[in-house]
């Protein structure tokens, strides 16, 4: 049993949950964890045994090299095995598991009037049809398919259809701008784009075809665009999908409904090698260029399946709801693959937590009797603002386990989640992981781990964390430093698409022998891990990671701007927000119009998630004598922290005073 640090309040697992749990107490966790590290071969083989393998593995469960001085970095899981992801998450349940009539998803649209239920059998049938449509379009094993869709069932259908025929999906969050989408399409070299009518404010619809227009302009190489009519478009009279902002190109654009209707609903899965790519998902890179993180079939299947089962203590009668968007890794791993691999029933929600009213989340929990609920700290902080009243109207007694992901959760939000949403009876699993890790790496197990608000607690099975200092020396006991991992687990990324060199340099060069997360971390006297946030030039706004360089590059596109520097500033709801310093070209004037223009520019280039909260005029930026921008000082100016410490490396200390004086203009 873990003994807490002196005054700290610990939250222990409820006994009712422990009775029937996969990992029923802390001791069981320790025993299984030890086994997973001492004998990974046996541990992962047992996990693999429940899945279908067309050909068994001939090599070990995991091989790797994490040391650049010894050769290329690689991870190899189950060499020689052949399987298919889609077969394992659908056919296996329908054919072998008799789960055909079980609900896979309760889809709840943005409008409460739109909803539907999809069983495993129906999902399989749609997926096969879509797979045949893609094949008809010439998509073959290994080809990339870009997907740019809101949270509608067709998104899951398309991703699984890709998996079925061995195509590599590249999903781009629908909140990204068309420019961002094009950049990703071009990097992935996709020739097919699947997109939809897009919901704009106040019931106006614009088709996403401005995206395809943009792609054509930039000769992205998209030759076929499969366009879905959103359900809201189908049911709303008077809204014509043909009133497109961009002309329909009959050579390229195809309506989903038309081709799906006549497509056969049987499709033999493509039997893939264990290490074939399953998908590419772009994440922000510190240089500003997004990196295409590659995940592969077998390892990702094992890892998302196992983490889902243990972290949410999944049981067949659960109704699970993850509010993330599938455009992010959380949606890939814990809306699509992890839950389906377990034959789970999930809620798939298209909308926002406060539309059409601030109790929407609670209403949906009551409606579907959700038992496991997984959301982001930013959503919790947003809903906290409305107090307890909106929750009181709904019956939340079905809830058993709550989860959070994406950013550090402040203890105040943690307690509100635990006490008000979970009524004090539901453990909160604070799951730390990344696009690159594929699944949870530091996380409590709900029936086993005593919780401390704000700590992601302990490593998941097979994961071996370490904390290093700047010199790469491993720090023991109570300490703080760089969070790294010593060994791979099956679900870790394999490379950056078409850029193995960037992959090795980004994650393995700094500390040979370790995967470097880019996060800082503290370990307390009970061995609990506490993520302290990014230690590179990344920002985490509402759980969305972005790079300062990316936003700076967008600002610099404005003809009045000669230099830009972006830092984070704490924000009550978003966690962090963007505070931008811009230096203007001679004779250009800083005014409200310019601020609005710059905000719009960033929205257009990257997407609404990157909209700056503050833009400050900076006649000059604080730099070292060698010309490097001193971001530490800018962060302190943004936060109005006057005690700046040692400024001796500054080329011109007067700059700082000017920036402090002008601060009020922005904030
Ligand atoms: O800084 C960490 C933060 O989010 C980063 C990963 O972002 P992304 O790849 O977009 O994936 C987000 C969803 C998995 C991490 O490097 N982060 C994620 N989860 C947590 C977190 N920080 C603290 N606590 C967490 N639970």
């Amino acid at each position: 049993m873990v003994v807490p640090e002196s005054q700290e309040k610990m939250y222990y697992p409820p006994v009712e949950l422990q009775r029937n749990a996969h990992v029923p107490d802390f001791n069981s966790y320790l025993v299984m964890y030890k086994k997973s590290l001492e004998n990974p071969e046996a541990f992962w083989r047992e996990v693999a045994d429940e899945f279908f393998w067309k050909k068994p593995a001939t090599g070990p469960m995991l091989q790797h090299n994490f040391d650049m001085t010894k050769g290329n970095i690689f991870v190899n899981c189950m060499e020689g095995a052949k399987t298919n992801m889609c077969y394992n998450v659908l056919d296996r349940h329908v054919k072998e598991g008799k789960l055909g009539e079980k609900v896979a998803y309760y889809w709840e649209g943005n409008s409460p009037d739109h909803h539907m239920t999809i069983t495993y059998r129906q999902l399989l049938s749609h997926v096969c049809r879509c797979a045949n449509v893609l094949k008809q379009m010439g998509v073959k094993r290994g080809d990339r398919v870009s997907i740019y869709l809101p949270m509608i069932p067709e998104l899951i259908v398309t991703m699984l259809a890709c998996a079925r025929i061995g195509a590599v999906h590249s999903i781009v969050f629908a909140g990204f701008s068309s420019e961002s989408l094009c950049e990703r399409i071009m990097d992935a070299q996709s020739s097919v784009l699947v997109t939809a009518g897009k919901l704009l404010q106040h019931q106006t619809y614009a088709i996403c075809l401005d995206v395809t227009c943009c792609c054509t302009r930039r000769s992205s190489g998209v030759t076929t665009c499969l366009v879905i009519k959103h359900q809201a478009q189908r049911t709303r009279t008077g809204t014509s999908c043909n009133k497109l902002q961009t002309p329909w190109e009959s050579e390229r654009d195809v309506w989903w409904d038309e081709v799906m209707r006549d497509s056969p609903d049987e499709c033999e899965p493509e039997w893939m090698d264990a290490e074939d790519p399953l998908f590419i998902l772009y994440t922000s890179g510190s240089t500003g260029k997004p990196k295409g993180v590659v995940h592969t079939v077998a390892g990702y299947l094992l890892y998302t399946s196992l983490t889902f089962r243990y972290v949410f203590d999944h049981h067949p009668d659960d109704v699970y709801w993850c509010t993330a968007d599938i455009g992010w890794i959380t949606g890939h791993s814990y809306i699509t693959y992890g839950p389906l691999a377990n034959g789970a029933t999930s809620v798939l929600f298209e909308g926002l937590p406060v539309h059409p009213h601030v109790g929407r989340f609670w209403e949906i929990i009551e409606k579907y009797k959700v038992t496991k609920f997984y959301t982001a700290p930013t959503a919790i902080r947003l809903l906290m603002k409305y107090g307890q009243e909106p929750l009181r109207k709904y019956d939340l007694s079905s809830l058993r386990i709550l989860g959070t992901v994406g950013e550090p959760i402040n203890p105040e939000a943690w307690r509100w989640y635990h006490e008000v949403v979970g009524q004090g009876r539901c453990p909160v699993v604070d799951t730390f992981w990344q696009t690159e890790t594929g699944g949870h790496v530091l996380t409590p197990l709900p029936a086993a781990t005593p919780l401390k608000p704000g700590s992601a607690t302990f490593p998941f099975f097979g994961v071996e964390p370490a904390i290093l200092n700047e010199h790469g020396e491993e720090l023991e006991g109570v300490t703080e430093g760089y969070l790294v991992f010593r060994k791979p687990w099956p679900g870790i990324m394999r490379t950056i698409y078409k850029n193995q060199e960037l992959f090795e340099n980004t994650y393995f060069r700094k500390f040979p022998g370790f995967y470097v997360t880019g996060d800082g971390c503290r370990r307390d006297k009970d061995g609990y891990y506490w993520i302290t946030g990014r230690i590179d030039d990344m920002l985490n706004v509402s759980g969305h990671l972005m790079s300062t360089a990316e936003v700076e590059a967008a600002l610099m596109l404005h003809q009045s701007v000669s230099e830009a520097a972006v830092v984070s500033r704490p924000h009550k709801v978003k966690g962090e927000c963007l505070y931008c310093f811009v230096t203007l070209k001679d004779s250009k004037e800083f005014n409200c119009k310019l601020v609005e223009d710059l905000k719009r520019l960033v929205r257009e280039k990257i997407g609404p998630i990157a909209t700056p909260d503050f833009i400050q005029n900076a006649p000059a930026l604080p730099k070292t004598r060698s010309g490097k921008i001193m971001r530490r000082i800018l962060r302190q100016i943004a936060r109005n922290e006057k005690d700046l410490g040692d400024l001796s490396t500054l080329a011109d200390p007067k700059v700082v005073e000017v920036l402090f004086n002008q601060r009020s203009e922005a904030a």
Side-chain angles (χ1 to χ4, degrees), residues 283 329-330 405-408 430-436 519 531 534 540 545:
T283 187
I329 191 68
T330 307
V405 57
E407 49 181 319
D430 175 356
T431 60
F432 167 82
W433 58 297
Q434 308 176 298
T435 306
E436 294 88 337
D519 282 290
I531 303 298
R534 299 293 304 189
N540 195 325
L545 208 58

Side-chain angles (χ1 to χ4, degrees), residues 299-362:
Y300 184 79
L301 169 64
L302 301 188
Y303 201 67
T304 53
S305 169
L306 194 74
T307 44
F308 176 79
R309 181 173 317 158
Y310 287 158
V311 173
F312 299 108
D313 190 40
H314 179 255
H315 291 276
D317 53 353
D318 272 331
V319 178
Y320 161 84
W321 180 21
C322 167
T323 69
D325 193 290
I326 292 179
W328 305 106
I329 191 68
T330 307
H332 280 61
S333 301
Y334 299 113
I335 295 181
T336 304
Y337 292 112
L340 291 180
N342 283 278
T345 295
S346 303
V347 174
L348 178 67
F349 179 47
E350 184 195 20
L352 299 169
V354 291
H355 176 82
H357 57 82
V358 299
R360 187 76 193 276
F361 269 14
W362 322 128

Side-chain angles (χ1 to χ4, degrees), residues 29-260:
Y29 160 75
L30 290 176
V31 170
M32 287 173 77
Y33 180 67
K34 194 157 173 268
K35 179 179 165 199
S36 74
L37 292 194
E38 286 176 358
N39 194 350
E41 187 63 26
F43 184 87
W44 293 112
R45 197 164 293 282
E46 202 179 316
V47 178
D49 275 350
E50 75 182 84
F51 296 108
F52 177 80
W53 305 95
K54 188 77 177 171
K55 259 176 80 183
T58 47
M61 290 305 293
L62 269 176
Q63 289 170 288
H64 80 288
N65 172 40
F66 269 10
D67 188 344
M68 283 175 82
T69 62
K70 296 189 178 147
N72 286 349
I73 303 294
F74 76 92
V75 175
N76 192 339
C77 176
M78 302 185 71
E79 193 168 355
K82 280 194 185 292
T83 189
N84 181 282
M85 173 62 101
C86 182
Y87 184 91
N88 274 295
V89 303
L90 294 182
D91 308 52
R92 191 172 56 94
H93 299 312
V94 174
K95 293 179 185 151
E96 301 169 20
K98 314 258 182 306
L99 295 186
E101 308 325 312
K102 185 171 180 183
V103 174
Y105 293 101
Y106 292 113
W107 179 71
E108 178 80 11
N110 180 52
S111 155
D113 299 337
H114 298 142
H115 43 82
M116 73 171 89
T117 297
I118 306 151
T119 64
Y120 273 85
R121 190 183 309 284
Q122 288 166 334
L123 186 57
L124 176 59
S125 156
H126 293 311
V127 166
C128 287
R129 281 179 187 209
C130 181
N132 286 322
V133 165
L134 292 175
K135 277 196 193 170
Q136 193 68 35
M137 289 172 167
V139 178
K140 295 184 298 298
R141 176 180 180 143
D143 289 352
R144 278 79 51 215
V145 172
S146 289
I147 305 175
Y148 185 65
L149 288 173
M151 287 282 286
I152 52 177
E154 289 88 340
L155 173 51
I156 292 178
V157 169
T158 310
M159 68 201 288
L160 294 174
C162 288
R164 191 165 193 90
I165 63 171
V168 179
H169 59 71
S170 167
I171 302 180
V172 179
F173 173 54
F176 273 124
S177 66
S178 49
E179 293 254 346
S180 296
L181 168 62
C182 286
E183 193 180 1
R184 288 156 174 78
I185 290 176
M186 286 161 79
D187 187 81
Q189 299 163 304
S190 306
S191 56
V192 172
L193 170 67
V194 184
T195 186
K198 189 174 177 183
L199 181 60
L200 296 181
Q201 277 171 353
H202 306 304
Q203 308 190 341
T204 318
Y205 285 90
I207 207 88
C208 290
L209 288 181
D210 59 328
V211 166
T212 57
C213 170
C214 172
C215 293
T216 316
R217 215 172 48 230
R218 297 178 49 169
S219 46
S220 69
V222 166
T223 52
T224 311
C225 186
L226 185 54
V227 186
I228 296 164
K229 278 179 205 168
H230 188 286
Q231 185 178 356
Q233 286 174 310
R234 295 184 186 127
T235 51
R236 183 167 292 118
T237 51
T239 309
S240 164
C241 290
N242 294 324
K243 278 193 217 147
L244 305 176
Q245 289 185 329
T246 307
W248 180 265
E249 281 194 29
S250 51
E251 303 254 297
R252 182 197 56 201
D253 305 331
V254 182
W255 283 119
W256 167 281
D257 278 356
E258 286 173 14
V259 283
M260 283 286 279

Side-chain angles (χ1 to χ4, degrees), residues 249-533:
E249 281 194 29
S250 51
E251 303 254 297
R252 182 197 56 201
D253 305 331
V254 182
W255 283 119
W256 167 281
D257 278 356
E258 286 173 14
V259 283
M260 283 286 279
R261 201 182 307 135
D262 304 324
S263 185
D265 69 354
E266 273 184 31
C267 173
E268 173 67 12
E270 184 77 26
W271 298 106
M272 307 299 289
D273 290 329
E275 280 298 328
D276 275 334
L278 175 68
F279 65 83
I280 302 171
L281 182 59
Y282 287 87
T283 187
S284 293
S286 55
T287 56
K289 199 177 154 358
K291 306 178 295 234
V293 169
V294 176
H295 284 285
T296 51
V297 178
Y300 184 79
L301 169 64
L302 301 188
Y303 201 67
T304 53
S305 169
L306 194 74
T307 44
F308 176 79
R309 181 173 317 158
Y310 287 158
V311 173
F312 299 108
D313 190 40
H314 179 255
H315 291 276
D317 53 353
D318 272 331
V319 178
Y320 161 84
W321 180 21
C322 167
T323 69
D325 193 290
I326 292 179
W328 305 106
I329 191 68
T330 307
H332 280 61
S333 301
Y334 299 113
I335 295 181
T336 304
Y337 292 112
L340 291 180
N342 283 278
T345 295
S346 303
V347 174
L348 178 67
F349 179 47
E350 184 195 20
L352 299 169
V354 291
H355 176 82
H357 57 82
V358 299
R360 187 76 193 276
F361 269 14
W362 322 128
E363 184 179 55
I364 294 174
I365 291 173
E366 177 185 271
K367 177 171 173 185
Y368 296 107
K369 301 196 169 44
V370 171
T371 54
K372 315 282 163 80
F373 180 62
Y374 193 29
T375 195
T378 186
I380 299 167
R381 289 192 295 262
L382 172 72
L383 294 167
M384 262 172 89
K385 286 205 312 193
Y386 301 101
Q388 301 195 15
E389 212 38 48
L391 288 106
R392 292 225 176 91
K393 297 191 194 137
Y394 302 101
D395 177 7
L396 305 184
S397 61
S398 57
L399 288 172
R400 295 283 170 271
I401 292 167
L402 304 172
T404 77
V405 57
E407 49 181 319
I409 181 162
N410 48 311
E412 191 195 350
W414 194 102
R415 283 191 201 99
W416 190 82
Y417 199 30
H418 184 260
E419 273 143 40
V420 179
V421 180
Q423 297 157 351
R425 33 176 188 83
C426 308
V428 174
V429 288
D430 175 356
T431 60
F432 167 82
W433 58 297
Q434 308 176 298
T435 306
E436 294 88 337
T437 69
H440 308 137
V441 281
L442 297 180
T443 176
L445 298 183
T449 316
L451 305 170
K452 296 188 187 191
S455 168
T457 73
F458 297 106
F460 188 74
F461 303 129
V463 174
E464 210 179 339
I467 298 181
L468 308 184
N469 66 14
E470 185 58 41
H471 310 294
E473 291 153 355
E474 194 169 341
L475 304 170
E476 302 295 336
V478 178
T479 192
E480 187 169 340
Y482 291 87
L483 176 67
V484 299
F485 295 105
R486 198 190 302 279
K487 279 188 196 148
W489 51 93
I492 192 173
M493 75 188 291
R494 297 303 197 260
T495 189
I496 291 175
Y497 186 63
K498 285 192 311 196
N499 208 338
Q500 173 75 9
E501 196 184 335
L502 180 64
F503 167 63
E504 299 194 352
N505 287 338
T506 309
Y507 304 103
F508 297 94
R509 182 171 289 284
K510 193 171 174 69
F511 301 124
F514 296 97
Y515 165 83
V516 181
T517 60
D519 282 290
C521 185
R522 179 166 74 79
R523 191 171 41 222
D524 72 14
K525 91 171 212 322
D526 303 318
Y528 280 67
Y529 289 88
W530 301 74
I531 303 298
T532 55

